[in-house]
Amino acid sequence: MSFQVIIKPSDRVFEVEDGSTVLDAAIDAGINLPYGCRNGTCGACKGQVLAGEVSYGEYFDSALSEDEKKVGKALFCCAQPLTDLVIECREVEGEGIPPRILTVRVEKLEKLSHDVMGMTLKLPSNERMQFMAGQYIEFLLNDGRRRAFSLANAPHDDRFIELHMRLVASGQFTQYVFNEMQEKTILRIEGPFGTFFLREESTRPVILVAGGTGFAPVKGIVEHALRQGLKRPMTLYWGARTLEDLYMDELPRQWAAENRLFRYIPVLSAPEPEDGWLGRTGLVHEAVLEDYPDMSAYQVYCCGAPQMVDVAHRDFQRHGLPKGEFFSDAFTFANPVAKIPA
Ligand code: FES
């Protein structure tokens, strides 16, 4: 059994399965209602029930008073519909989600390849960080510097924050992460930031182009899109030097095996003889152009080294990709507040 929810003033509509909260169902539907803790503590998800009945769930009185309940307020992270609903609340998009400073604990460090570390961060038990798949966070280091990394998980799976870090020879922070950091280390982050997220209002087929750890935000975007049920074709080109650099190769292969609308094309620029590579070779953006000489009907999301992103942007436009249909999130080595794999 499910209930229909209409949001005012946008008139967007989504379904809530029995047993699910209004907020969880909205996130699954790709609708960004505001939230903070997702457990009835902070009050950030409070909105108005204009029509229909909810069960309020368990929450702290400080987040929702009896007087507020009497006038139809509810916490959407706890409230479950008992009937179809009309609710009134704010919706937030991308840069509209205010960044917050949070203290996090390193839950897990796992080497994904010789030079990529998977880092899982845990937020305090009554905090969640609202974000859109593909955005990034910054670490606030003790000396005032910041180091930025893309979020590799999707919002429906936000109990932890997942990052993929590539070791950079001259990068003090990643050297520290690879050589000294222990699990349970406490760090401060600020986020989310960035405009690299799926434009869900578009119906254009999507081409995702990732270079190296540029796969991280792309993974978040794909997992978010799959969670909602893919509605338009998506093709991922993941470029790397050697087979080992495709550090999660099985995952996009699995997405492709399970979803008719998703295709995965790995491209190696310098495969090792022992890789026994029979797949595509060369530069990843050139592989895209070989397959799509006319890009006028597509929408592109591109993340990787700045040279790759720049060249892809230029060449894709030469092949008809309309201005405004290219979204990128280039790694930058020089700018201390930009997103860097260092
Ligand atoms: S009370 Fe914090 S998100 Fe609902």
Side-chain angles (χ1 to χ4, degrees), residues 23 34-46 63 75-78:
L23 179 66
Y35 65 83
C37 64
R38 283 180 85 171
N39 66 7
T41 309
C42 72
C45 63
K46 197 181 306 175
L75 298 174
F76 293 133
C77 73
C78 307

Side-chain angles (χ1 to χ4, degrees), residues 28-60:
D28 283 350
I31 293 172
N32 294 295
L33 306 186
Y35 65 83
C37 64
R38 283 180 85 171
N39 66 7
T41 309
C42 72
C45 63
K46 197 181 306 175
Q48 185 77 32
V49 179
L50 297 173
E53 298 286 325
V54 296
S55 85
Y56 287 86
E58 290 185 13
Y59 59 89
F60 288 86

